[in-house]
Amino acid sequence: ASQSEDIQVQNNHIVDGGAAVLCERCVRVNIANNQISNCRNGGIFVALCLARAAIIGNRLNYVGAEGKNVLASSIACIFQLGECHVESNEVLNTGVSKDEKVNPARTVGIGALFVLEARIESNLVSYSDLLTRERTLEDRALLMQGLIEIAFPLGATALRIGYSAQVSNNKFLG
């Protein structure tokens, strides 16, 4: 979807493609309960969106085997001017294809980059075979960076305005 409002991508089975779901420059995105597998460039991408982006209850397996940089991700939310809510997703075998071809680039299970606010909870990020990916590739189960933080000095303390994140009850293996 591109430049749309109230996006709903729900209850789909997406197999064998480039990237499974891409929403860019949208307002209020909800991506839920999808089964995504064997997508060579990546899974779910939300970029340059406004308001809340909810990515909930999806199952991703064997995605990002040919993706480059952040595109070798299962779930990525980039430049979100609002809340990035990623919950109860199962992310398996990021950067690996079904026929065990391994992406030589660094991969990311869940990425929330330059988001105004993030809630990442109750997700599983793992591999079927924990020895599939080389440890020297510096893969990340979770990669986060806030959009902005500004500090206003107030005597001996400072008032900080900016990025808040809640990360809880996740399980990261591999």
Side-chain angles (χ1 to χ4, degrees), residues 6 93 136 169:
D6 299 313
N93 303 308
T136 58
N169 301 320

Side-chain angles (χ1 to χ4, degrees), residues 142-156:
L142 177 62
L143 179 64
M144 298 179 68
Q145 181 172 345
L147 181 64
I148 190 169
E149 182 175 311
I150 300 171
F152 297 100
L154 296 172

Side-chain angles (χ1 to χ4, degrees), residues 36-39 42-43 60-65 73-74 92-96:
I36 298 168
S37 64
N38 212 33
C39 291
L60 297 96
N61 195 6
Y62 297 113
V63 299
S73 299
S74 284
L92 299 173
N93 303 308
T94 303
V96 180

Side-chain angles (χ1 to χ4, degrees), residues 124-143:
L124 168 65
V125 179
S126 186
Y127 288 90
S128 298
D129 178 358
L130 296 179
L131 301 176
T132 302
R133 303 271 311 161
E134 292 290 328
R135 298 233 181 252
T136 58
L137 294 175
E138 296 191 29
D139 294 334
R140 297 289 181 257
L142 177 62
L143 179 64

